[in-house]
Amino acid sequence: MIIDGVVVKVGDHIDTDVIIPGRYLGITDPVELSKHVLEGLDPNFPTRLKPGVILVAGRNFGCGSSREEAPVALKAAGVRCIVAESFARIFYRNAINIGLPIVECTGIQSYVKDGDRITVDLSSGIIEASGYIFRFKPLPGFILEILRDGGLTNHIRKLRGLTV
Amino acid sequence: MKPMNIAEKILARASGRSYVEPGEIVDAVVDRVMFHDLTGPMTLKVFEEMGGGLVWDPDRVVVVFDHIVPACSITAAENHVKLRRFVENQGIKHFYDVGRGGICHQVMVEKGHVLPGELVIGADSHTCMYGALGAFATGVGATDMAATLLTGRIWLRVPETIIVKYTGRMPEYLSGKDLILYTISVIGADGANYKAVVYSGDVVSHLSMDDRLTMSNMAVEMGAKTGIFEPDDVTLTYLKGRASSGFALMRSDEGASYSEEYEFDVSGMEPQVACPYRVDNVKPVSEVEGIHVDQAFIGSCTNGRLSDLRIAARILKGRRVDKGTRLIVIPASQDVYREALREGLIDVLLEAGAMICNPTCGPCIGVHLGVLAPGEVCIASINRNFIGRMGSRESKVYLASPATVAASSIEGKITDPRRYLGGAV
Ligand code: SF4
């Protein structure tokens, strides 16, 4: 699985309250949610995310609550993949489960800037960014399979013999 | 057989294995699952998208309405309706509607839905609180919850385990909240990512269940998957009259290994305060004393229990909340509320000028019952102080123990509770 896109950078410890504040949690429409994504960081942030964005973050991205609205809002805002120094565990699972590819890659933050084009190869564990090559530990086979199916929901439909 | 620690032992049992080690991925059978009115609607939506049908075992499912109760908007009310219908159709008996339970995590432990040695999965990040009873409990999102409801299983990576030992003499004025805030400040907001934490050391055996619950609750604030106390007499006493079935007392084997070890001497430790906007931005209270607070809040799954209300009442008895500050108190459950009424605590708090709200998450989630305006400052007994957590993104939240919150409400500024409890200031 190869993904390419344009970098938007954010910092360390971006928590789920910042990604999508509690008061929007009644909303179930992903597009509606995406209008408020990362509002906590900057009220104009939603306008910076366009289809084809690869979010590059620092440490502990997605820490805090278990709200799945956080990755859902990012995906609906056009984020194709998130590359971070590290992720909080519940966010990590949630992103995979909704079919949003997510990779941990140490050191990348200081080498890329907003607007760079980068390519992420999920199966081989390679990122190409502004002339540099970064390696990360490729995702385990069963996680790649969930991503290939577009998330855990489709994966389970498949296992249950339902149409995807 | 190689020795295992309690976290590994529980995961080995749950996955039908005799031995597991960190880094392995196991396919585990869960003993109990829980979701609430905020994570429930998305869980049900995904459950239907997965093809729906019946949950694997309705008797192992607990549903609690707590985040937005009673409904404060039409959307919230509609979500409640949807969830009630699901509970009814699926034959789920352990259902706590408005006025029947309280905050989900408190209800889970108080009503005996968690037993030592169990694997419990909840659609809420503070599910790790049940580790106080010697269970392996962890939070997941809606899609994981939907899949677990269908299959009764979940994949989990066996975590590395950090052991934290508390030694020395615990001062009378100090609480579990101070210990955990201090611990988070040292380990860091991501220092325990993907790992389990085991709380240990001589001090631990003297900690009440309420203190343990607070500390396990905030394990996730270090990124931990779960935070466990090994079951002992305090656990057994707590479970008396609550546990509806027998359980095995699982403890770490002699010689079990840990990825990291910390030791904290608690003798003479100061009350601790986490400053905006990071949970690990912790300072001794003496460094932040004097900061004006517009609101003081005692409640939440972290610190809304009986002992929390008792200490607040002890401090506030015969005193008044400062006129430039409002104090909101929310008992964590209906049971806590009733007991607090019986003990006369509620009366003391009302007399002091506190506003008491019904058991609910309330202002902890920044949706109702005490939302902050831009520029406002709150000191709260909750577990998170992120930007916008309790309302405006331009408001600020300081985290502290109920004693520190109560003392601060009297003076209208952050105050060392030792001024009201005794102990050197
Ligand atoms: S009280 Fe706060 S932290 Fe606890 S479950 Fe409710 S919203 Fe979450």
Side-chain angles (χ1 to χ4, degrees):
Chain A
M1 285 178 85
I2 297 178
I3 302 162
D4 69 346
V6 177
V7 169
V8 170
K9 272 176 80 173
V10 290
D12 292 337
H13 300 281
I14 303 294
D15 62 77
T16 53
D17 277 287
V18 158
I19 300 173
I20 189 85
R23 59 185 174 279
Y24 300 123
L25 294 185
I27 305 172
T28 43
D29 176 21
V31 178
E32 271 310 303
L33 282 170
S34 74
K35 292 181 186 158
H36 305 287
V37 76
L38 286 162
E39 229 179 56
L41 219 52
D42 165 9
N44 292 321
F45 210 100
T47 59
R48 292 180 52 199
L49 296 176
K50 311 233 153 45
V53 158
I54 294 185
L55 204 64
V56 176
R59 277 165 60 183
N60 205 21
F61 187 83
C63 57
S65 87
S66 68
R67 61 189 70 164
E68 201 159 293
E69 286 85 347
V72 165
L74 287 164
K75 191 179 176 192
V79 173
R80 264 188 204 159
C81 176
I82 308 174
V83 181
E85 301 281 325
S86 66
F87 291 95
R89 59 163 288 275
I90 306 180
F91 184 90
Y92 188 91
R93 289 184 78 107
N94 286 348
I96 304 283
N97 285 343
I98 65 148
L100 174 62
I102 174 168
V103 301
E104 278 191 352
C105 182
T106 348
I108 187 162
Q109 262 248 330
S110 42
Y111 288 89
V112 299
K113 51 181 194 316
D114 280 326
D116 286 357
R117 278 208 90 82
I118 70 170
T119 308
V120 183
D121 186 336
L122 293 175
S123 355
S124 62
I126 289 174
I127 297 176
E128 280 184 54
S130 39
Y132 296 100
I133 302 270
F134 298 88
R135 287 184 190 281
F136 61 91
K137 202 166 150 210
L139 300 170
F142 77 99
I143 287 187
L144 277 176
E145 204 177 309
I146 293 174
L147 285 176
R148 260 187 220 112
D149 288 343
L152 189 62
T153 303
N154 283 344
H155 186 68
I156 290 208
R157 284 187 69 89
K158 214 168 81 180
L159 294 178
R160 297 178 94 188
L162 302 169
T163 52
V164 172
Chain B
M1 180 115 48
K2 279 206 228 161
M4 289 184 284
N5 64 45
I6 182 168
E8 293 157 358
K9 272 170 106 165
I10 298 174
L11 289 184
R13 185 207 41 85
S15 54
R17 308 256 301 268
S18 53
Y19 180 75
V20 296
E21 61 185 12
E24 276 185 83
I25 308 268
V26 295
D27 180 23
V29 175
V30 304
D31 294 300
R32 195 84 54 190
V33 301
M34 184 284 298
F35 61 89
H36 53 62
D37 60 328
L38 207 66
T39 49
M42 192 179 275
T43 300
L44 299 200
K45 182 170 164 253
V46 178
F47 185 85
E48 286 312 316
E49 286 166 7
M50 285 176 174
L54 291 175
V55 302
W56 101 106
D57 183 352
D59 290 344
R60 291 184 180 274
V61 180
V62 183
V63 180
V64 188
F65 285 5
D66 62 348
H67 276 63
I68 307 176
V69 293
C72 69
S73 68
I74 295 170
T75 314
E78 282 178 327
N79 285 336
H80 289 177
V81 170
K82 260 187 242 162
L83 290 169
R84 280 190 198 103
R85 204 175 300 135
F86 182 82
V87 162
E88 171 84 25
N89 293 344
Q90 297 280 345
I92 295 168
K93 292 195 295 285
H94 303 302
F95 170 50
Y96 298 90
D97 205 328
V98 177
R100 305 298 156 89
I103 302 178
C104 60
H105 304 308
Q106 180 61 17
V107 169
M108 285 296 280
V109 293
E110 187 177 88
K111 297 294 188 191
H113 294 308
V114 179
L115 296 175
E118 286 192 339
L119 173 63
V120 187
I121 300 296
D124 189 280
S125 61
H126 291 102
T127 301
C128 54
M129 185 177 98
Y130 323 150
L133 295 180
F136 190 112
T138 195
V140 298
T143 301
D144 266 328
M145 181 48 60
T148 311
L149 284 172
L150 279 172
T151 62
R153 317 180 74 94
I154 189 165
W155 70 264
L156 291 171
R157 179 182 171 283
V158 180
E160 287 78 18
T161 302
I162 299 178
I163 188 163
V164 186
K165 294 182 179 160
Y166 300 92
T167 57
R169 249 187 77 113
M170 175 117 164
E172 205 254 342
Y173 58 79
L174 215 63
S175 70
K177 180 60 158 285
D178 300 299
L179 297 193
I180 192 65
L181 288 176
Y182 182 79
T183 306
I184 295 166
S185 75
V186 175
I187 295 184
D190 58 353
N193 253 358
Y194 309 114
K195 296 179 182 171
V197 172
V198 169
Y199 303 102
S200 173
D202 292 345
V203 168
V204 154
S205 51
H206 305 295
L207 286 178
S208 69
M209 185 49 71
D210 282 6
D211 275 332
R212 296 177 186 196
L213 289 164
T214 302
M215 293 173 70
S216 287
N217 177 283
M218 292 190 72
V220 67
E221 266 61 66
M222 307 178 260
K225 200 171 204 160
T226 192
I228 307 182
F229 285 84
E230 300 200 57
D232 61 7
D233 288 347
V234 175
T235 327
L236 292 178
T237 309
Y238 184 79
L239 285 168
K240 218 166 271 164
R242 299 184 204 271
S244 53
S245 64
F247 51 88
L249 274 187
M250 227 178 264
R251 297 179 62 89
S252 299
D253 294 328
E254 196 76 30
S257 49
Y258 299 90
S259 62
E260 285 135 273
E261 186 176 323
Y262 292 87
E263 189 170 320
F264 301 128
D265 185 345
V266 304
S267 323
M269 185 183 279
E270 262 194 60
Q272 307 285 310
V273 179
C275 306
Y277 294 102
R278 294 260 305 262
V279 183
D280 56 0
N281 184 17
V282 176
K283 302 202 168 95
V285 68
S286 56
E287 285 181 31
V288 285
E289 265 202 298
I291 296 174
H292 167 77
V293 294
D294 301 285
Q295 178 168 306
F297 171 47
I298 297 172
S300 87
C301 58
T302 317
N303 281 114
R305 279 175 277 276
L306 203 56
S307 56
D308 302 317
L309 303 187
R310 279 190 190 132
I311 191 99
R314 190 175 138 197
I315 291 174
L316 282 153
K317 195 174 171 75
R319 300 191 171 98
R320 295 283 305 166
V321 172
D322 185 71
K323 65 175 185 345
T325 300
R326 50 196 186 264
L327 171 64
I328 298 168
V329 178
I330 304 193
S333 71
Q334 299 287 129
D335 285 3
V336 169
Y337 198 179
R338 287 188 70 181
E339 189 53 35
L341 274 168
R342 250 177 23 95
E343 288 187 17
L345 308 175
I346 299 295
D347 204 44
V348 170
L349 297 170
L350 285 169
E351 181 79 35
M355 173 167 270
I356 316 283
C357 300
N358 60 282
T360 172
C361 296
C364 179
I365 189 80
V367 178
H368 65 156
L369 301 178
V371 176
L372 301 175
E376 282 198 311
V377 177
C378 178
I379 185 159
S381 72
I382 67 173
N383 46 35
R384 290 189 175 135
N385 56 357
F386 300 148
I387 296 171
R389 173 72 184 184
M390 292 182 73
S392 163
R393 58 186 293 273
E394 286 145 46
S395 62
K396 284 185 179 152
V397 180
Y398 289 83
L399 309 177
S401 72
T404 307
V405 176
S408 305
S409 76
I410 296 170
E411 303 207 1
K413 53 188 197 246
I414 298 181
T415 301
D416 191 328
R418 288 175 291 181
R419 293 186 196 288
Y420 296 89
L421 289 171
V425 178

Tab-separated table of all heavy atoms in Angstrom, chain A residues 65 67, chain B residues 36 38 66-67 103-105 124-126 217 221 297 299-302 360-366 382-384 389, ligand 1:
chain	number	residue	atom	x	y	z
A	65	SER	N	-8.937	11.034	25.356
A	65	SER	CA	-10.133	10.198	25.420
A	65	SER	C	-10.183	9.167	24.298
A	65	SER	O	-9.394	9.198	23.364
A	65	SER	CB	-11.378	11.068	25.370
A	65	SER	OG	-11.753	11.311	24.039
A	67	ARG	N	-12.561	8.826	22.185
A	67	ARG	CA	-13.501	9.259	21.146
A	67	ARG	C	-12.992	8.946	19.737
A	67	ARG	O	-11.994	9.481	19.286
A	67	ARG	CB	-13.842	10.748	21.317
A	67	ARG	CG	-12.654	11.670	21.198
A	67	ARG	CD	-13.016	13.097	21.590
A	67	ARG	NE	-13.251	13.195	23.030
A	67	ARG	CZ	-13.272	14.351	23.693
A	67	ARG	NH1	-13.109	15.502	23.067
A	67	ARG	NH2	-13.475	14.359	24.993
B	36	HIS	N	-21.131	3.822	27.160
B	36	HIS	CA	-22.022	4.808	27.771
B	36	HIS	C	-22.738	5.650	26.713
B	36	HIS	O	-22.628	5.382	25.513
B	36	HIS	CB	-21.256	5.659	28.780
B	36	HIS	CG	-20.006	6.304	28.229
B	36	HIS	ND1	-20.040	7.221	27.196
B	36	HIS	CD2	-18.703	6.155	28.565
B	36	HIS	CE1	-18.802	7.627	26.939
B	36	HIS	NE2	-17.963	6.982	27.746
B	38	LEU	N	-22.207	8.483	25.496
B	38	LEU	CA	-21.473	9.330	24.557
B	38	LEU	C	-20.766	8.488	23.491
B	38	LEU	O	-20.688	8.880	22.334
B	38	LEU	CB	-20.461	10.201	25.311
B	38	LEU	CG	-20.140	11.513	24.596
B	38	LEU	CD1	-21.356	12.412	24.562
B	38	LEU	CD2	-18.996	12.238	25.290
B	66	ASP	N	-24.356	8.445	31.498
B	66	ASP	CA	-23.692	9.277	32.497
B	66	ASP	C	-23.133	10.597	31.956
B	66	ASP	O	-23.124	11.590	32.663
B	66	ASP	CB	-22.540	8.504	33.165
B	66	ASP	CG	-21.447	8.095	32.181
B	66	ASP	OD1	-21.662	8.204	30.970
B	66	ASP	OD2	-20.369	7.666	32.633
B	67	HIS	N	-22.727	10.597	30.708
B	67	HIS	CA	-22.036	11.800	30.237
B	67	HIS	C	-22.971	12.992	30.126
B	67	HIS	O	-22.626	14.093	30.521
B	67	HIS	CB	-21.345	11.535	28.901
B	67	HIS	CG	-19.994	10.901	29.089
B	67	HIS	ND1	-19.836	9.665	29.660
B	67	HIS	CD2	-18.749	11.345	28.815
B	67	HIS	CE1	-18.538	9.384	29.717
B	67	HIS	NE2	-17.855	10.383	29.214
B	103	ILE	N	-21.777	7.850	37.242
B	103	ILE	CA	-20.678	7.838	36.275
B	103	ILE	C	-20.257	6.378	36.025
B	103	ILE	O	-20.085	5.600	36.957
B	103	ILE	CB	-19.478	8.668	36.767
B	103	ILE	CG1	-19.938	10.119	37.025
B	103	ILE	CG2	-18.362	8.642	35.734
B	103	ILE	CD1	-18.857	11.027	37.573
B	104	CYS	N	-20.138	6.038	34.743
B	104	CYS	CA	-19.970	4.639	34.329
B	104	CYS	C	-18.906	3.890	35.132
B	104	CYS	O	-19.162	2.776	35.607
B	104	CYS	CB	-19.683	4.565	32.837
B	104	CYS	SG	-18.194	5.442	32.296
B	105	HIS	N	-17.738	4.486	35.296
B	105	HIS	CA	-16.654	3.736	35.948
B	105	HIS	C	-16.968	3.467	37.419
B	105	HIS	O	-16.663	2.406	37.945
B	105	HIS	CB	-15.333	4.490	35.799
B	105	HIS	CG	-15.004	4.774	34.367
B	105	HIS	ND1	-15.006	3.786	33.411
B	105	HIS	CD2	-14.716	5.924	33.709
B	105	HIS	CE1	-14.711	4.322	32.231
B	105	HIS	NE2	-14.544	5.619	32.396
B	124	ASP	N	-14.338	3.772	26.692
B	124	ASP	CA	-14.011	5.013	27.400
B	124	ASP	C	-12.583	4.868	27.906
B	124	ASP	O	-12.209	3.828	28.440
B	124	ASP	CB	-14.954	5.247	28.586
B	124	ASP	CG	-14.748	6.634	29.171
B	124	ASP	OD1	-13.783	6.833	29.942
B	124	ASP	OD2	-15.519	7.544	28.821
B	125	SER	N	-11.805	5.928	27.763
B	125	SER	CA	-10.383	5.810	28.070
B	125	SER	C	-10.085	5.543	29.547
B	125	SER	O	-9.065	4.967	29.867
B	125	SER	CB	-9.642	7.064	27.603
B	125	SER	OG	-10.143	8.195	28.265
B	126	HIS	N	-10.979	5.948	30.445
B	126	HIS	CA	-10.698	5.734	31.860
B	126	HIS	C	-11.159	4.388	32.401
B	126	HIS	O	-11.201	4.170	33.621
B	126	HIS	CB	-11.228	6.901	32.695
B	126	HIS	CG	-10.453	8.157	32.449
B	126	HIS	ND1	-10.931	9.166	31.649
B	126	HIS	CD2	-9.202	8.513	32.812
B	126	HIS	CE1	-9.997	10.114	31.551
B	126	HIS	NE2	-8.942	9.738	32.234
B	217	ASN	N	-7.369	5.159	37.682
B	217	ASN	CA	-8.104	5.998	36.731
B	217	ASN	C	-7.156	6.809	35.863
B	217	ASN	O	-7.316	6.914	34.643
B	217	ASN	CB	-9.039	6.910	37.539
B	217	ASN	CG	-9.829	7.889	36.699
B	217	ASN	OD1	-9.292	8.894	36.249
B	217	ASN	ND2	-11.086	7.595	36.442
B	221	GLU	N	-3.384	8.766	31.733
B	221	GLU	CA	-2.745	10.077	31.588
B	221	GLU	C	-1.224	9.963	31.427
B	221	GLU	O	-0.541	10.955	31.181
B	221	GLU	CB	-3.114	10.990	32.759
B	221	GLU	CG	-4.317	11.879	32.485
B	221	GLU	CD	-5.605	11.137	32.208
B	221	GLU	OE1	-6.133	10.469	33.104
B	221	GLU	OE2	-6.086	11.195	31.058
B	297	PHE	N	-14.339	22.720	41.102
B	297	PHE	CA	-15.222	21.584	40.810
B	297	PHE	C	-14.707	20.317	41.482
B	297	PHE	O	-13.558	19.919	41.292
B	297	PHE	CB	-15.319	21.367	39.288
B	297	PHE	CG	-16.026	20.086	38.916
B	297	PHE	CD1	-17.230	19.733	39.506
B	297	PHE	CD2	-15.487	19.215	37.952
B	297	PHE	CE1	-17.883	18.539	39.171
B	297	PHE	CE2	-16.129	18.030	37.606
B	297	PHE	CZ	-17.320	17.685	38.224
B	299	GLY	N	-15.691	16.390	41.647
B	299	GLY	CA	-16.543	15.370	41.051
B	299	GLY	C	-15.736	14.530	40.079
B	299	GLY	O	-14.504	14.488	40.162
B	300	SER	N	-16.430	13.840	39.185
B	300	SER	CA	-15.882	12.995	38.118
B	300	SER	C	-15.502	11.599	38.603
B	300	SER	O	-15.473	11.325	39.808
B	300	SER	CB	-14.666	13.648	37.442
B	300	SER	OG	-13.469	13.332	38.129
B	301	CYS	N	-15.171	10.740	37.630
B	301	CYS	CA	-14.781	9.357	37.964
B	301	CYS	C	-13.465	9.325	38.707
B	301	CYS	O	-13.125	8.336	39.344
B	301	CYS	CB	-14.714	8.516	36.691
B	301	CYS	SG	-13.560	9.149	35.455
B	302	THR	N	-12.723	10.406	38.653
B	302	THR	CA	-11.433	10.453	39.337
B	302	THR	C	-11.615	10.714	40.826
B	302	THR	O	-10.998	10.066	41.657
B	302	THR	CB	-10.568	11.595	38.748
B	302	THR	OG1	-10.688	11.569	37.349
B	302	THR	CG2	-9.116	11.451	39.127
B	360	THR	N	-23.277	12.730	37.330
B	360	THR	CA	-23.050	12.805	35.887
B	360	THR	C	-21.603	13.252	35.695
B	360	THR	O	-20.957	13.689	36.648
B	360	THR	CB	-23.996	13.843	35.224
B	360	THR	OG1	-23.607	14.025	33.857
B	360	THR	CG2	-23.921	15.208	35.891
B	361	CYS	N	-21.112	13.135	34.471
B	361	CYS	CA	-19.761	13.627	34.184
B	361	CYS	C	-19.723	15.147	34.301
B	361	CYS	O	-18.713	15.732	34.690
B	361	CYS	CB	-19.348	13.224	32.778
B	361	CYS	SG	-19.232	11.439	32.596
B	362	GLY	N	-20.839	15.792	33.896
B	362	GLY	CA	-20.977	17.235	34.052
B	362	GLY	C	-19.870	18.028	33.387
B	362	GLY	O	-19.468	17.729	32.263
B	363	PRO	N	-19.328	19.006	34.118
B	363	PRO	CA	-18.354	19.916	33.500
B	363	PRO	C	-17.055	19.230	33.078
B	363	PRO	O	-16.266	19.810	32.338
B	363	PRO	CB	-18.068	20.938	34.609
B	363	PRO	CG	-18.537	20.318	35.866
B	363	PRO	CD	-19.625	19.365	35.512
B	364	CYS	N	-16.825	17.991	33.539
B	364	CYS	CA	-15.590	17.290	33.189
B	364	CYS	C	-15.459	17.131	31.674
B	364	CYS	O	-14.360	17.074	31.146
B	364	CYS	CB	-15.560	15.919	33.859
B	364	CYS	SG	-14.097	14.969	33.480
B	365	ILE	N	-16.595	17.054	30.993
B	365	ILE	CA	-16.551	16.851	29.540
B	365	ILE	C	-16.825	18.164	28.785
B	365	ILE	O	-16.794	18.230	27.559
B	365	ILE	CB	-17.511	15.693	29.132
B	365	ILE	CG1	-17.384	15.253	27.671
B	365	ILE	CG2	-18.952	16.030	29.434
B	365	ILE	CD1	-16.233	14.358	27.425
B	366	GLY	N	-17.060	19.239	29.541
B	366	GLY	CA	-17.205	20.552	28.902
B	366	GLY	C	-18.469	20.734	28.089
B	366	GLY	O	-18.496	21.512	27.131
B	382	ILE	N	-10.744	16.649	38.548
B	382	ILE	CA	-10.863	15.737	37.404
B	382	ILE	C	-9.485	15.252	36.940
B	382	ILE	O	-8.494	15.429	37.637
B	382	ILE	CB	-11.674	16.394	36.251
B	382	ILE	CG1	-10.934	17.582	35.642
B	382	ILE	CG2	-13.033	16.845	36.788
B	382	ILE	CD1	-11.585	18.171	34.410
B	383	ASN	N	-9.432	14.640	35.750
B	383	ASN	CA	-8.189	14.015	35.304
B	383	ASN	C	-7.513	14.662	34.099
B	383	ASN	O	-6.439	14.233	33.690
B	383	ASN	CB	-8.443	12.523	35.019
B	383	ASN	CG	-9.720	12.316	34.211
B	383	ASN	OD1	-10.052	13.127	33.369
B	383	ASN	ND2	-10.428	11.230	34.461
B	384	ARG	N	-8.138	15.648	33.463
B	384	ARG	CA	-7.518	16.246	32.272
B	384	ARG	C	-7.638	17.761	32.292
B	384	ARG	O	-8.665	18.298	32.703
B	384	ARG	CB	-8.183	15.703	30.997
B	384	ARG	CG	-7.816	14.263	30.783
B	384	ARG	CD	-8.265	13.740	29.436
B	384	ARG	NE	-7.761	12.391	29.309
B	384	ARG	CZ	-8.448	11.352	28.873
B	384	ARG	NH1	-9.700	11.504	28.490
B	384	ARG	NH2	-7.904	10.165	28.798
B	389	ARG	N	-10.975	21.577	27.481
B	389	ARG	CA	-11.583	20.408	28.120
B	389	ARG	C	-12.906	20.745	28.809
B	389	ARG	O	-13.870	20.009	28.738
B	389	ARG	CB	-10.607	19.804	29.142
B	389	ARG	CG	-11.181	18.684	29.983
B	389	ARG	CD	-11.367	17.429	29.184
B	389	ARG	NE	-12.001	16.362	29.952
B	389	ARG	CZ	-12.198	15.155	29.489
B	389	ARG	NH1	-11.819	14.831	28.263
B	389	ARG	NH2	-12.797	14.239	30.211
C	1	SF4	S1	-16.162	11.920	34.619
C	1	SF4	FE1	-14.890	12.847	33.023
C	1	SF4	S2	-13.174	11.472	32.719
C	1	SF4	FE2	-14.744	10.349	33.889
C	1	SF4	S3	-15.930	9.231	32.347
C	1	SF4	FE3	-16.941	11.176	32.681
C	1	SF4	S4	-16.084	12.577	31.151
C	1	SF4	FE4	-14.715	10.814	31.277
